[in-house]
Amino acid sequence: MSLIVQKFGGSSVADADKIRNVARIITEQYRKGHSMVVVLSAQGDTTDDLIEKAQEINPRGSKREMDMLLSTGEQISIALCSMAIEAMGYQVISLTGWQAGMRTDSGYGAARIKNINTERIRAELDKNRIVIVAGFQGLNKYDDITTLGRGGSDTPAVALAAALHADLCQIYTDVDGVYTADPRFVTGARKLSEITYDEMLELASLGAQVLHNRSVEMAKRYNVNLEVLSSFTNQPGTKVKEVVKNMEKSHVSGVAKDKDIARLALVGLAHEPGIAFKIFSLLARNKVNVDIILQSIGREGSKDISFTVKKADMEQAQKILEENRDIINFQSIEVTDKIAKVSIVGAGMINNPGVAATMFEALFDAGININMISTSEIKVSVLVDENDADRAVQVIHDKFFSLYGAG
Ligand code: ADP
Ligand code: ASP
Ligand code: MG
């Protein structure tokens, strides 16, 4: 007998029929004798609808009240799903994040899980009940409700799997696994039978929303046996693990796109020590996260530095820099959010120097201009015009996956 944690995303619980379908998937495992802990997201577009409601009332509502509001979406799902399971004649109980012992830090809107007191869940499992837990939420040290950031229901599922030493954590969504690129937008995207935690973490951090990056981080840390699969088909999914048996033939595992990005360029900085330190320590003190940084060669005593941030941080970053113009001493600042980051990820690229060049060739052939480049051992990212992003993903994907025939 195993302990299985399952998580169902918003599209899997979007209406009554889908909730009944989820109830069938859960009870099928329960009938085999497994202990079942299930994490649910809010139904369909509920979270977006709640955000819209808040905008109508007060576009600058406090983060605390936003979390109070947004956490209600998941509560609807767990109650409805439990009722569906009750109707099938099984023992079940729904628990909010706080009833399930989920404690977080106090960062409203993007809280991090600090610990889980699993006493209540264990007591319910001992009573032979199926336990349905609300995703995306917890309680901070003030006993206030927090939410974990958009797409944040994956993380409590993995966290519960780790805390309960579950045998398996299954993330059910609307695609039947992790693909070489978003299968909804990229023709020819292929399902991967398995992927390493490291590659999945990069893909998730670089825009592949199929798993929340924090959930992958946690799965790696606690070696959680993780699987991504569809609640709509009976297909085998993708296993996410430390080491994969058959490294795919391609050096690249996937292509990802992130449109939630903005670029700031400081032009005409003095070419002297300490400038980068001043800029980035100032931003860090104001909690602005910086991603790609590019500095030009200093010529004639002057240099430029450009960098990227999340779209939501763009205005604040610009304001901070302008307010400190006398310290940083730049001539002008250029700001745009009409850009996107397109990345390739693959553990196999470390020992294959041609991979980045192949990516650039695909973009050159398609006449797509690169604004910035950033590399690490297992990824290459480029910044392109927002309007070129979808085409860029497609041509890069075509290049690698018809070239090496992986899949
Ligand atoms: P859920 O509501 O179940 O959490 P999400 O919308 O958060 O689902 O994530 C699933 C979506 O992730 C898919 O519908 C797909 O469009 C998108 N996606 C992006 N990149 C990938 C990828 N590489 N593989 C699979 N799905 C991806
Ligand atoms: N309901 C939340 C969202 O839409 C969390 C999740 O679905 O993972 O972002
Ligand atoms: Mg999701």
Side-chain angles (χ1 to χ4, degrees):
M1 245 74 82
S2 303
L3 171 57
I4 301 178
V5 175
Q6 295 182 328
K7 179 258 171 179
F8 295 89
S11 43
S12 300
V13 292
D15 58 33
D17 281 342
K18 290 191 174 124
I19 287 183
R20 282 192 204 99
N21 175 50
V22 163
R24 264 194 302 275
I25 295 173
I26 299 166
T27 53
E28 208 173 290
Q29 295 298 337
Y30 180 74
R31 268 207 313 275
K32 289 182 190 159
H34 302 309
S35 297
M36 300 302 298
V37 175
V38 179
V39 175
L40 298 184
S41 290
Q43 290 185 281
D45 296 329
T46 303
T47 309
D48 291 328
D49 296 345
L50 290 169
I51 292 171
E52 220 167 277
K53 270 187 207 298
Q55 293 285 326
E56 279 171 26
I57 302 279
N58 177 2
R60 273 181 265 286
S62 68
K63 287 187 167 178
R64 180 190 182 281
E65 298 311 325
M66 278 306 284
D67 279 5
M68 183 66 94
L69 178 69
L70 297 190
S71 65
T72 61
E74 271 64 17
Q75 208 168 319
I76 296 172
S77 299
I78 56 166
L80 292 175
C81 185
S82 298
M83 288 176 198
I85 293 173
E86 279 176 351
M88 294 168 78
Y90 297 96
Q91 294 276 329
V92 61
I93 185 163
S94 65
L95 300 174
T96 59
W98 41 101
Q99 286 175 312
M102 194 72 61
R103 303 301 300 213
T104 72
D105 65 14
S106 44
Y108 298 105
R112 280 176 178 263
I113 298 171
K114 289 191 83 172
N115 58 68
I116 310 175
N117 177 350
T118 55
E119 234 170 85
R120 175 74 188 270
I121 294 184
R122 287 190 187 282
E124 300 298 346
L125 289 174
D126 287 345
K127 289 181 204 156
N128 227 357
R129 288 175 168 161
I130 297 168
V131 181
I132 312 283
V133 180
F136 181 55
Q137 56 181 255
L139 216 53
N140 66 15
K141 64 179 175 195
Y142 309 112
D143 284 347
D144 280 341
I145 295 171
T146 52
T147 64
L148 309 180
R150 296 310 305 270
S153 285
D154 299 328
T155 313
V158 175
L160 280 171
L164 295 164
H165 306 290
D167 299 278
L168 180 61
C169 180
Q170 298 180 305
I171 306 289
Y172 280 91
T173 180
D174 55 0
V175 284
D176 59 0
V178 179
Y179 278 67
T180 49
D182 190 335
R184 282 198 293 184
F185 298 103
V186 179
T187 316
R190 298 169 196 190
K191 187 164 73 181
L192 298 162
S193 54
E194 42 185 25
I195 185 167
T196 64
Y197 292 128
D198 286 334
E199 288 172 305
M200 190 62 237
L201 183 56
E202 284 290 351
L203 277 179
S205 305
L206 294 167
Q209 94 225 53
V210 63
L211 282 176
H212 196 271
N213 59 351
R214 283 198 193 147
S215 70
V216 187
E217 215 171 69
M218 193 158 316
K220 179 178 161 67
R221 191 173 329 138
Y222 297 100
N223 207 15
V224 172
N225 188 5
L226 188 64
E227 190 179 354
V228 178
L229 60 180
S230 164
S231 61
F232 304 123
T233 66
N234 227 349
Q235 300 297 316
T238 302
K239 305 237 183 241
V240 189
K241 52 213 281 212
E242 187 60 44
V243 183
V244 300
K245 262 190 269 114
N246 303 318
M247 289 294 284
E248 311 278 347
K249 271 173 275 163
S250 171
H251 309 307
V252 175
S253 300
V255 187
K257 170 188 75 188
D258 186 359
K259 288 192 168 174
D260 180 18
I261 190 167
R263 188 192 60 203
L264 292 93
L266 293 167
V267 181
L269 291 157
H271 188 37
E272 61 187 31
I275 298 289
F277 164 66
K278 283 182 196 163
I279 297 168
F280 297 110
S281 57
L282 196 59
L283 293 169
R285 273 204 301 282
N286 286 280
K287 301 221 167 357
V288 174
N289 256 326
V290 173
D291 183 19
I292 305 176
I293 301 173
L294 186 78
Q295 175 175 310
S296 69
I297 295 176
R299 282 217 177 89
E300 291 159 15
S302 157
K303 67 184 173 192
D304 307 334
I305 292 182
S306 38
F307 59 92
T308 62
V309 296
K310 290 228 170 263
K311 270 196 168 106
D313 289 337
M314 182 180 83
E315 276 177 25
Q316 198 204 349
Q318 181 175 8
K319 190 162 159 264
I320 293 165
L321 294 168
E322 274 169 353
E323 281 171 2
N324 289 279
R325 201 172 181 145
D326 50 333
I327 304 168
I328 301 169
N329 253 321
F330 54 89
Q331 274 163 19
S332 63
I333 182 167
E334 290 165 17
V335 177
T336 176
D337 63 357
K338 302 279 176 275
I339 50 160
K341 182 167 65 172
V342 175
S343 311
I344 53 171
V345 170
M349 71 172 74
I350 301 176
N351 301 316
N352 290 281
V355 174
T358 305
M359 179 189 193
F360 304 151
E361 185 186 9
L363 294 169
F364 168 65
D365 289 345
I368 296 171
N369 201 24
I370 301 173
N371 290 306
M372 275 168 123
I373 300 170
S374 150
T375 63
S376 80
E377 282 192 330
I378 67 163
K379 68 128 207 233
V380 181
S381 296
V382 295
L383 225 59
V384 298
D385 195 281
E386 190 179 54
N387 297 323
D388 289 331
D390 292 335
R391 211 159 48 88
V393 174
Q394 186 68 62
V395 296
I396 292 167
H397 188 275
D398 288 348
K399 190 91 183 169
F400 282 104
F401 293 94
S402 53
L403 205 72
Y404 297 102

